């Protein structure tokens, strides 16, 4: 824990009342959505300006105090967990949209702007911020950039990285850098902006971000299609992709649907139950486009890839169909799931999923496995539910074995041990399954340049 005199010094760097040390705040701001690491920060500090962030970083360097960035704390890799007496730097009071440029279609955001706030702002301007996921109502832009957040529209719009036009950062050394200055074209050497995207706060703090906006999508329409087995999902993807641009292509299993329907507040997509479901979305710009989608659906039925299906006819139906996929994570949270977030190239998905599924079901036939994810991106979320009669410790000990087998399979397929949730603390011991020793050495060398005293979110990504 940090000496009181140092905390007194920290208090002089921000506005009165903006350093908290009460147990409730330490508990709240010391953790993210992962539940494995008990939070134990020394204090929470809330800067309001770039200068205050810079002063905090200089103070931390002078006294070698570890800092942990904190946004909406919706992360699933413990990248924003302070478990070792660190000072948490929370961006709740740097939550303003500072500027908008309709010609460049850019918005300047402070890091604490909530994702949904940016989405709504864009809508108000007749435009669209396309990065979207279930936690958009709480996650913050700074955290999205720090983790290169993905979500449900990646197949069409890419990850957060694609939407960052420029960044202002405070490096671990305390320097303020303006990266890329919002340019579309800029061929002047290393693009340091991209190092900060997905760095999980290990190089410095994002203190301002210019985000790009897009034209609004036209009459978004979703289909949920029931398939007889997993192997039928990919031909469905290809059949639709040959005919139209999809804005999403997701999947979930019937076990997942079971859990959702048990809530009683989400309608079933159709009466027939099938082992898997694909959820796809497209812009029904014209009637012909919608007819094309229906014809493709019929083709998939003829081929035996699809058993039943539904197409949204209204905004409400669109929203309800999306809930079948988007509400899954929250719905299964009470079952203390073991979670994993994996990716391979799209062509490898069927063989990869079959291998992983076999590993889990052969070794732990009693465990309930819930599959869902952004399958059009090659991104699968593996969730295993804790059997009621098993203690949490025994369950997670057994899952540690699963981890090793799963990651060995990921390595064999040249996949990623984290598609979109990040490394943080939960995956740092497994990084070598996705990155070579040489690559990790270069990553550590880069960190040392930006953060020579190792004060920026230490212990995240690697030890
Ligand atoms: C999603 O796609 C989120 O719903 C959470 O990335 C995934 O809970 C999960 O495993
Ligand atoms: Zn996801």
């Amino acid at each position: 824990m940090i000496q009181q005199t140092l905390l007194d010094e920290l208090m002089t760097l921000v506005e009165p009342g903006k350093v908290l040390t009460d147990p409730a705040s330490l508990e709240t701001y010391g953790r993210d959505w992962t539940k494995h690491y008990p939070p134990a920060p020394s204090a929470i500090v809330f800067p309001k300006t770039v200068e205050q962030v810079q002063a905090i970083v200089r103070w931390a360097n002078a006294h070698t105090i570890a800092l942990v960035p904190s946004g909406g704390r919706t992360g699933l890799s413990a990248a924003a967990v302070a478990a070792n007496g660190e000072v948490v730097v929370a961006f709740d009071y740097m939550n303003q949209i500072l500027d908008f440029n309709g010609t460049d279609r850019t918005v300047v955001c402070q890091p604490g702007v909530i994702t949904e706030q940016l989405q709504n702002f864009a809508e108000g301007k007749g435009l669209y911020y396309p990065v979207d996921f279930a936690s958009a109502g709480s996650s913050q832009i700074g955290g999205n950039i720090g983790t290169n957040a993905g979500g449900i529209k990646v197949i069409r719009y890419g990850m957060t990285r694609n939407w960052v036009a420029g960044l202002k950062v405070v490096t671990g050394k305390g320097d303020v850098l303006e990266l890329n200055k919002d340019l579309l074209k800029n061929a002047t050497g290393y693009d340091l902006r991209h190092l900060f995207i997905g760095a999980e706060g290990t190089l410095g703090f994002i203190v301002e971000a210019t985000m790009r906006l897009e034209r609004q999508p036209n009459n978004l329409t979703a289909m949920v299609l029931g398939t007889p087995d997993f192997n039928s999902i990919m031909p469905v993807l290809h059949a639709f992709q040959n005919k139209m641009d999809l804005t999403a292509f997701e999947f979930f299993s019937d076990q997942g649907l079971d859990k959702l329907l048990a809530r009683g507040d989400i309608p079933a997509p159709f009466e027939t139950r099938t082992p898997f479901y694909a959820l796809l979305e497209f812009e029904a710009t014209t009637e012909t486009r919608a007819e094309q989608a229906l014809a493709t659906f019929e083709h998939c039925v003829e081929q035996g890839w699809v058993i039943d299906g539904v197409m949204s006819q209204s905004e409400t139906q669109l929203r309800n169909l999306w809930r079948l996929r988007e509400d899954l994570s929250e719905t299964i949270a009470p079952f203390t799931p073991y979670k994993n977030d994996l990716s391979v190239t799209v062509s490898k998905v069927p063989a990869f999923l079959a291998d992983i599924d076999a590993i889990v079901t052969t070794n732990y036939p009693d465990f309930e496995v819930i599959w869902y994810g952004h399958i059009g991106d090659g991104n699968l979320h593996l969730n295993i539910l804790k059997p009621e009669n098993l203690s949490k410790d025994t369950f997670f000990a057994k899952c540690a074995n699963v981890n090793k087998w799963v990651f060995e399979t990921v390595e064999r397929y040249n996949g990623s041990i984290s598609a979109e949730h990040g490394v943080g603390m939960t995956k740092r011991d497994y990084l070598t399954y996705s990155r070579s020793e040489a690559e990790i050495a270069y990553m550590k060398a880069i960190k040392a340049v930006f953060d020579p005293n190792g004060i920026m979110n230490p212990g995240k990504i690697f030890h």
Side-chain angles (χ1 to χ4, degrees), residues 76 133-134 151-152 250 325-326 328-330 332 339-341 372-374 381-383 420-421:
L76 289 166
F133 34 75
I152 54 178
E250 302 279 313
R325 168 60 191 87
E326 283 228 274
L328 271 167
S329 185
E330 186 197 309
I332 61 168
K339 305 178 87 65
N340 229 318
D341 162 43
Y372 52 91
H374 320 284
H381 294 311
L382 163 65
N383 280 267
E420 59 171 3
H421 294 166

Side-chain angles (χ1 to χ4, degrees), residues 206-336:
I206 289 152
V207 289
E208 211 173 278
T210 307
M211 307 305 289
R212 287 192 199 290
L213 303 180
E214 172 71 343
R215 73 158 171 87
Q216 280 181 346
N218 221 311
N219 192 21
L220 284 177
T221 301
M223 279 179 140
V224 171
L225 308 175
T227 71
D229 47 38
F230 180 77
N231 282 334
S232 301
I233 295 176
M234 298 319 262
V236 173
L237 169 66
H238 300 138
F240 276 89
Q241 271 181 327
N242 283 341
K243 296 284 174 201
M244 60 186 69
D245 292 329
L246 297 175
T247 50
F249 192 88
E250 302 279 313
F251 91 116
F252 51 95
S253 67
D254 196 45
Q255 284 93 332
L257 181 65
D258 241 4
K259 297 280 180 285
L260 280 170
L261 297 183
R263 294 166 49 138
D265 63 337
I266 305 178
F270 37 77
E271 261 180 44
T272 325
R273 294 292 288 268
T274 60
F276 287 96
Y277 304 88
L279 187 163
L280 61 89
E281 190 192 61
F282 60 96
E283 294 179 83
T285 4
T286 59
E287 220 156 275
T288 328
R289 179 50 49 85
E291 280 162 16
Q292 220 169 25
L294 283 174
T296 312
F297 160 69
E298 274 158 26
H299 169 70
C300 291
V301 173
E302 278 159 23
Q303 295 295 316
W305 301 326
V306 167
I307 294 173
D308 204 347
V310 63
M311 184 161 96
S312 65
Q313 304 294 332
S314 66
E315 282 258 350
T316 313
Q317 275 178 11
L318 175 73
R319 256 197 311 275
N320 278 336
L321 291 183
W322 264 115
R323 286 193 69 187
L324 295 166
R325 168 60 191 87
E326 283 228 274
D327 288 10
L328 271 167
S329 185
E330 186 197 309
T331 303
I332 61 168
F335 296 88
T336 326

